[in-house]
Amino acid sequence: MAQMAGPDPIWTNCPNCNTEILTTTQKSISTFQMLVAGGLCLFGFPLCFYIPFFMDDWKDVLHTCPNCNYAIGKYKKL
C-alpha cells in the first residue's frame, strides 16, 4: 500500500481493476491523536484526553477504489 499525498480524495488509476477513479476515503484514529491524548493525561489534564479524538484533521485516511474496494494507499498524520 502506498503513502498517499493527502487526506482528500484524489483521481488515480486503480492498480487492481485498472480504471480511472476518484478514491473514497475512510478516516481512522491516528498515532498522533493517541500521543496527544496521552500527553494531556501526563501533564495534568486527564478529563481532556478525549478532545484529540474529535479532530478530523489529525486522523489517518485510507484511500480505496469505489469500484472494487481495493486499498490503494494510506495518508498518515505522523
Side-chain angles (χ1 to χ4, degrees), residues 4-73:
M4 299 305 287
D8 299 323
I10 59 170
W11 285 98
T12 187
N13 285 327
C14 176
N16 191 41
C17 63
N18 204 23
T19 57
E20 186 175 352
I21 49 103
L22 179 64
T23 60
T24 56
T25 57
Q26 181 180 3
K27 295 182 179 183
S28 63
I29 294 173
S30 68
T31 305
F32 181 71
Q33 289 174 300
M34 297 275 212
L35 291 173
V36 172
L40 286 172
C41 289
L42 185 66
F43 292 113
F45 300 101
L47 298 177
C48 299
F49 79 94
Y50 61 88
I51 293 173
F53 299 111
F54 291 106
M55 305 296 288
D56 278 345
D57 291 341
W58 293 359
K59 293 186 177 187
D60 290 343
V61 180
L62 178 66
H63 290 263
T64 58
C65 175
N67 295 333
C68 64
N69 292 325
Y70 181 76
I72 295 173

